[in-house]
Amino acid sequence: MILKTVNVGERVLRQKARPLKQEEIRSTFIGDLVLHMRDTMRDALGVGLAAPQIGEAMQLIVIEFTEEYLKRSSEAQTTETEHTVIPFHAMFNPTIELLGPADVMGIEGCLSLPGFVAAVPRAAAVRVHCLNEYGKSQTIEASGFYARILQHEIDHLNGQLYIDRMQSETFSTVQSVQRHGKK
Ligand code: ZN
């Protein structure tokens, strides 16, 4: 099922999302929600989606970076060299630790700000503690593009958007970026 997404300006995008209990994570309701979020992300050609973006102030994100996206992003304007396929997964109640300064620039867009992109500085590597879809705790160490996606999506759970961190003079419409070509 494709869910309705909310745009910047909606309060839920600026709230701190609530953590989920283990019983909730294992519930049919959340199991179904994860699948609907997956379908919604794929439909929008996104690589990540956080629950506040579908109007739910819960600490839940889904991420997927397919082979198909990998081909498309080989020309993308990012300084990250590490682009690898990331299988679909959901994570709950994540806490993030940046393993270094947020000084790697890369272009980001967001399904909650359709039609816009900007250059955003992020840490090259992160460590995330979270619960997986079975409610088991896990630690993920990520670098490159995966680390960027994690920082972007976990920001959503804290009521933050990439526009809070972007280099504001790079803020552009997708159209104008395409018109002026890739730098
Ligand atoms: Zn976003």
Side-chain angles (χ1 to χ4, degrees):
M1 192 203 289
I2 311 296
L3 304 169
K4 200 169 174 296
T5 54
V6 300
N7 284 341
V8 61
E10 295 290 332
R11 232 181 91 79
V12 66
L13 290 174
R14 291 307 196 170
Q15 283 170 351
K16 181 142 174 69
R18 73 171 177 89
L20 292 179
K21 298 189 191 78
Q22 267 186 342
E23 313 88 78
E24 287 183 286
I25 293 170
R26 293 201 208 97
S27 70
T28 317
F29 174 76
I30 294 294
D32 288 345
L33 186 64
V34 165
L35 294 178
H36 298 329
M37 283 177 65
R38 181 196 64 189
D39 295 348
T40 306
M41 172 176 66
R42 286 178 179 172
D43 181 64
L45 303 176
V47 294
L49 186 68
Q53 296 183 276
I54 47 114
E56 297 282 356
M58 302 186 307
Q59 292 188 22
L60 156 60
I61 63 180
V62 296
I63 291 177
E64 180 182 52
F65 191 66
T66 62
E67 194 94 41
E68 194 190 327
Y69 292 164
L70 187 63
K71 284 188 200 122
R72 208 182 320 141
S73 70
S74 58
E75 306 138 44
Q77 315 93 320
T78 167
T79 50
E80 277 127 8
T81 48
E82 284 175 77
H83 272 67
T84 48
V85 167
I86 307 163
F88 175 81
H89 62 292
M91 59 175 75
F92 300 86
N93 309 347
T95 57
I96 191 164
E97 198 185 324
L98 306 186
L99 304 176
D103 59 3
V104 183
M105 297 304 287
I107 299 289
E108 292 184 24
C110 181
L111 301 180
S112 303
L113 291 99
F116 294 97
V117 290
V120 184
R122 298 286 189 185
V126 297
R127 187 180 295 127
V128 171
H129 297 286
C130 63
L131 299 179
N132 67 12
E133 54 202 294
Y134 308 105
K136 281 189 69 177
S137 67
Q138 59 176 19
T139 302
I140 295 171
E141 295 213 356
S143 58
F145 191 54
Y146 187 25
R148 177 173 297 276
I149 299 172
L150 286 166
Q151 290 169 82
H152 179 116
E153 299 306 330
I154 294 171
D155 269 356
H156 274 300
L157 306 181
N158 295 309
Q160 286 212 284
L161 299 170
Y162 79 82
I163 51 175
D164 305 338
R165 301 185 187 275
M166 68 180 177
Q167 266 192 343
S168 50
E169 70 276 15
T170 66
F171 189 56
S172 310
T173 62
V174 173
Q175 273 181 331
S176 64
V177 168
Q178 285 165 348
R179 195 166 50 237
H180 296 305
K182 288 161 180 147
K183 288 192 204 106

